[in-house]
Amino acid sequence: MFSYSKHLLLDKLERPELNLTRERIENVLDDPENIIEKNETERHYLKRIPDFDSRWLRVIVNPQTEIIITAFFDRGVQ
C-alpha cells in the first residue's frame, strides 16, 4: 500500500487544473504500461489516460518507503 507525499497532496492534488486524481494515480500503480527503475529510491510508473486525451501519466514512487513522491502528465513520452 502506497502513501502520498505532502508535496503530492498539497501541491498537486489540490490543483484541479492539473487533472490529477487519486483514482488516476492508483490506476497507474495498479496497472502500469511501463515501469522504469531509475535507482534504488526512485521508480517511475507510466500509463496512458484515455479520458484525458491519451496523455501519459507518470507516477514516481520511492520503492523503499512506498511513498508516492509526485505525479504529472508527461508530454515528453511518445
Side-chain angles (χ1 to χ4, degrees), residues 6-71:
K6 288 181 183 178
H7 162 72
L8 184 56
L9 288 172
L10 300 176
D11 295 337
K12 300 280 187 160
L13 291 176
E14 294 294 321
R15 295 176 56 196
E17 71 272 14
L18 297 179
N19 293 299
L20 291 173
T21 64
R22 286 179 184 252
E23 180 182 43
R24 285 181 171 161
I25 291 168
E26 290 168 10
N27 181 290
V28 171
L29 294 173
D30 290 342
D31 187 28
E33 290 182 44
N34 195 5
I35 299 174
I36 302 168
E37 299 284 343
K38 288 290 190 174
N39 55 52
E40 63 186 32
T41 61
E42 194 174 302
R43 182 179 297 145
H44 295 219
Y45 295 80
L46 292 109
K47 185 173 184 169
R48 285 183 199 261
I49 306 300
D51 65 334
F52 194 58
D53 298 328
S54 291
R55 293 184 186 178
W56 288 91
L57 180 56
R58 182 180 296 262
V59 180
I60 302 174
V61 175
N62 181 328
Q64 294 179 343
T65 61
E66 295 189 337
I67 294 175
I68 305 167
I69 300 166
T70 194

